[in-house]
Amino acid sequence: MSQLPPALAPTGQATPPRTDFVRPIALTTLLVCAAMILWFLLQALVAWPVGTSRPWQMLVAFAGDNAWPASLRWMLAHPVATSLLLAAACVPSLVSSWGLYKGTRWGLLSFVWLLVITGIANIGVAWWMDRVAAALIGKVGEADVVEALDTQRLLFTATVLGSCVLFAVLQGWLAWRLMRPDIRSRY
């Protein structure tokens, strides 16, 4: 008695396995944002007694007497508010990451917008840090020390700006990838 040959698999194109890189990115971002918010809230708790201490008040007075940049003087004068503002700045990313992790359309769109906004904002923060450092270095007075510090500032700024541009490109690529039809169709 003969046996029938085994049935062959259909010859049509096999669909490739669906890779899901979105949920791990969303979960990672969610956890990082939660950790950052917790960090800034703890920082605010520590800044509360430190900000009212005599040494801190002397630093604030020194900054005012020496005409440090106004933004830096404000941050030194209001360390609790600065920490709370930084925590509040992380909340939109936390909510957006949660929405993306849960697979909502608003989560996807807000996450993409925040990628673009933070890519640009990081470059702005790097520029602000450079301006503050340049103003503080200008207060030193000794030409050889100013020249050495200015060289270090330029190297630091180039490194930070290069990193910001690299991350902006990566964030732009991720935003583009998330808006591709294969990803958008899932939301």
Side-chain angles (χ1 to χ4, degrees):
M1 196 185 234
S2 70
Q3 291 185 343
L4 294 173
L8 298 175
T11 58
Q13 291 285 356
T15 58
R18 181 174 143 185
T19 58
D20 188 14
F21 72 96
V22 178
R23 285 179 58 88
I25 287 175
L27 181 60
T28 302
T29 307
L30 177 73
L31 294 175
V32 168
C33 289
M36 292 298 295
I37 290 170
L38 182 62
W39 173 264
F40 288 129
L41 291 176
L42 290 173
Q43 180 176 300
L45 287 176
V46 170
W48 195 342
V50 170
T52 59
S53 69
R54 180 159 169 72
W56 191 269
Q57 293 304 315
M58 289 173 55
L59 176 63
V60 171
F62 179 79
D65 294 342
N66 290 295
W68 284 13
S71 57
L72 185 58
R73 286 194 318 251
W74 187 90
M75 290 169 56
L76 289 171
H78 305 94
V80 175
T82 300
S83 297
L84 292 176
L85 285 172
L86 290 170
C90 294
V91 170
S93 293
L94 178 79
V95 172
S96 177
S97 299
W98 176 255
L100 184 65
Y101 182 74
K102 286 299 191 180
T104 64
R105 182 137 181 97
W106 64 263
L108 174 68
L109 296 175
S110 63
F111 194 85
V112 167
W113 273 105
L114 284 171
L115 283 171
V116 173
I117 290 168
T118 57
I120 295 167
N122 287 340
I123 294 170
V125 169
W127 173 82
W128 174 80
M129 288 171 40
D130 180 64
R131 295 296 84 215
V132 167
L136 293 177
I137 289 170
K139 304 271 183 219
V140 172
E142 298 177 28
D144 56 335
V145 174
V146 168
E147 184 179 340
L149 289 174
D150 209 36
T151 301
Q152 291 179 11
R153 176 187 65 84
L154 290 174
L155 289 172
F156 174 77
T157 300
T159 303
V160 170
L161 273 176
S163 299
C164 288
V165 168
L166 174 66
F167 277 102
V169 168
L170 290 172
Q171 286 174 254
W173 173 83
L174 182 57
W176 172 81
R177 181 65 184 103
L178 288 173
M179 293 310 292
R180 299 280 299 158
D182 63 320
I183 301 295
R184 275 188 308 163
S185 66
R186 299 182 204 172
Y187 293 88

